[in-house]
Amino acid sequence: MDNNLYATHKGIVKIGEYSVPCAVLNNGKRVFIQREIVGLLTGNKKGGLDRYLQAKTLQEYVPDKFKGDGLVQNVYKFRLDNKDAHGFEATDVIDISMMYINANNDGKLLASQKHLAAQSLVIVSAFAKTGVIAVIDEATGYLKEKNRAKDELQKFLQSFMREEAAKLVKRFEDSFFEMIYKMRGWTWNYTHKHPGVVGQWINDLVYERIAPMVLSELRKKNPTLANGQRKYKHHQFLTDEIGIPKLLAHISTLEAFGRASNYDWNMFLDMVDRAFPKQNQQLRIFFGDIYLEDKKEVESTEKTSSFNKLLTQALNYDPKKDKRNDNEGKEEEDDEDFCCVIK
C-alpha cells in the first residue's frame, strides 16, 4: 500500500438519513472513511471491521480481497486535513454490504446480526455499485474539476490544431532525417521515402511529447485510410499561431540533442526522455511500479554524474536489447512516405 497517499478532494455522501464522509485520493481512488462506514453498518464507530468479518457465520460470504490479512492490505491509510485517516475503496463498501445481504438471504445470520443486513440494504439501495464512483465524484466536487480540466484541454487542443488540413508545407527538414540515419548507422541519400519505423519514432519523439493528447487528437482528425496510409501529414493540422512554432522548436531541440549525444542513439533517447517525458511516462512514475524502479536507480547512481551515466550507458549499449528496434510496420505510419526498407 502506498504510504504517501492524501486526499485531494473531500465531501459528504447521503446514504438514507446518514451522512458519510468520502474522499478522492491522489492516486485516483475514491474512498469512504472506514470508521464512518463501520458506524453506519454496526451503529458503533469504535474499532475496525475486522472483528465483524471474523464471524463464523460469514466466512463463506467474505469478499476474497478481505480474507486472511486482506482487510489490512485493502484499507487505505492517507492524510485528510493534516490528520491520518483510513478508508475503504468505494466499491468495497458495496461488496461488504452484499456479504451481509447474501448471508441473511441464505438464513445464515444470527438474530444479533440481522440489523447488519438491514443496514446493508440501506447502503445498497442508496446507490448501485456502478454508480458509487459518480456519487463520490459529485459529492467531493471532483466531477466539476474533471470537467473543467477536460474543457481546458479541449480549448488548448483547439488553439494547437486546426479543423481542416492546411496546404502541405515541408516541416521536417532533411537535417532531421539525416540525424536519424546517422544515429542508426544507415546511409543517407536525401530520400523522401523512409522505413516505416521512422514514422513510429516521429510519433514517439515528436507528437507524443510536444503537448498532451496531441497525437491522439491528430489520429482522429487524420485517420488511416483503407490502403493503410493517411490522406494528410499530421503537421498539416497544426495551427500557424501555436502548433507549427511549437513543432519547429521541438524538432530543432531534437537535432541539438542528436549533436550533443555525438549521434549515439541510446544516449539521444535518454536525453529526450529526460527533457520531454511522454504523458504516460509521467503517469507511470506517479502511480505505478516505475516510480519504485526510478527511485532505486537514483539511489544507486546518486554519486555518478549525468555525463558519466550516459557514457556508461553508451559503452554498454547492446543493439539486440534495444527495445526501440527496427520492426517495420508494427504501427501505422504517420508523417512521411515511409515505404521502402533500408538494407
Side-chain angles (χ1 to χ4, degrees):
M1 189 70 69
D2 191 344
N3 294 322
N4 298 304
L5 295 176
Y6 58 88
T8 60
H9 300 75
K10 63 178 182 178
I12 299 293
V13 169
K14 297 291 292 185
I15 301 178
E17 61 184 58
Y18 302 92
S19 298
V20 182
C22 59
V24 178
L25 305 186
N26 59 312
N27 66 352
K29 295 294 184 181
R30 283 74 162 176
V31 299
F32 287 112
I33 306 303
Q34 179 183 214
R35 64 185 181 86
E36 299 291 342
I37 289 297
V38 173
L40 173 63
L41 273 170
T42 68
N44 183 3
K45 296 182 181 181
K46 295 182 179 180
L49 189 66
D50 54 336
R51 59 187 176 127
Y52 294 95
L53 295 181
Q54 291 172 5
K56 294 182 179 180
T57 54
L58 289 176
Q59 292 313 297
E60 64 179 293
Y61 303 97
V62 173
D64 289 340
K65 68 184 299 184
F66 290 131
K67 291 181 179 179
D69 61 353
L71 180 62
V72 175
Q73 297 176 359
N74 289 286
V75 171
Y76 290 86
K77 181 179 180 180
F78 60 98
R79 296 291 290 176
L80 175 65
D81 295 333
N82 294 318
K83 297 180 181 179
D84 287 336
H86 297 78
F88 289 120
E89 191 168 355
T91 51
D92 289 343
V93 175
I94 305 300
D95 292 334
I96 292 170
S97 298
M98 290 306 301
M99 171 187 70
Y100 285 109
I101 293 172
N102 292 332
N104 186 55
N105 290 341
D106 291 345
K108 297 296 181 68
L109 291 186
L110 303 176
S112 60
Q113 297 174 315
K114 292 289 186 179
H115 71 288
L116 299 173
Q119 285 297 90
S120 295
L121 282 172
V122 171
I123 294 173
V124 172
S125 63
F127 41 71
K129 183 172 183 177
T130 54
V132 66
I133 297 297
V135 169
I136 288 185
D137 286 357
E138 179 68 28
T140 60
Y142 187 60
L143 181 61
K144 291 182 179 179
E145 187 164 316
K146 285 198 302 183
N147 290 336
R148 182 166 59 250
K150 185 185 297 184
D151 291 342
E152 290 299 320
L153 175 60
Q154 193 58 43
K155 289 178 182 178
F156 166 76
L157 291 175
Q158 288 174 356
S159 70
F160 201 89
M161 59 189 71
R162 62 180 82 237
E163 289 298 322
E164 301 294 334
K167 181 179 178 180
L168 179 60
V169 176
K170 188 174 183 178
R171 303 297 183 183
F172 288 79
E173 298 295 338
D174 289 342
S175 58
F176 174 82
F177 295 105
E178 184 177 11
M179 173 191 71
I180 296 291
Y181 277 52
K182 189 171 183 178
M183 286 191 291
R184 300 305 299 173
W186 298 342
T187 300
W188 171 246
N189 58 0
Y190 292 91
T191 180
H192 292 289
K193 296 184 180 296
H194 311 281
V197 69
V198 177
Q200 298 172 33
W201 290 335
I202 287 179
N203 286 341
D204 184 331
L205 299 172
V206 180
Y207 291 117
E208 287 192 82
R209 300 175 190 266
I210 54 177
M213 300 298 293
V214 165
L215 179 59
S216 177
E217 193 69 14
L218 285 173
R219 282 173 168 166
K220 293 178 183 177
K221 292 178 178 292
N222 189 28
T224 304
L225 304 177
N227 62 2
Q229 302 296 315
R230 298 181 189 273
K231 185 176 181 180
Y232 304 102
K233 308 301 182 187
H234 274 345
H235 59 72
Q236 289 180 257
F237 288 91
L238 301 184
T239 58
D240 293 331
E241 298 79 12
I242 298 179
I244 292 299
K246 180 72 172 178
L247 173 68
L248 296 179
H250 188 85
I251 294 173
S252 178
T253 302
L254 292 181
E255 291 189 39
F257 285 172
R259 295 190 295 271
S261 67
N262 198 27
Y263 299 99
D264 182 279
W265 178 247
N266 226 38
M267 189 181 297
F268 168 76
L269 293 179
D270 189 83
M271 295 173 72
V272 174
D273 281 337
R274 291 172 182 272
F276 303 111
K278 292 190 292 186
Q279 185 179 31
N280 66 334
Q281 290 175 331
Q282 292 172 328
L283 289 174
R284 287 169 65 197
I285 289 172
F286 189 71
F287 291 126
D289 295 336
I290 299 301
Y291 171 80
L292 298 178
E293 294 174 7
D294 286 354
K295 184 177 181 182
K296 292 177 183 177
E297 181 181 0
V298 169
E299 291 174 347
S300 64
T301 59
E302 59 183 356
K303 296 183 180 179
T304 305
S305 70
S306 297
F307 176 79
N308 286 338
K309 181 181 176 183
L310 291 174
L311 180 60
T312 300
Q313 184 179 15
L315 292 174
N316 294 332
Y317 172 59
D318 182 355
K320 294 182 179 180
K321 296 181 179 180
D322 188 349
K323 295 181 179 179
R324 308 185 195 201
N325 53 30
D326 301 354
N327 295 325
E328 290 83 8
K330 190 174 182 180
E331 293 185 7
E332 61 263 46
E333 303 153 358
D334 276 327
D335 206 85
E336 295 292 328
D337 298 319
F338 309 117
C339 59
C340 71
V341 177
I342 301 297
K343 296 184 179 179

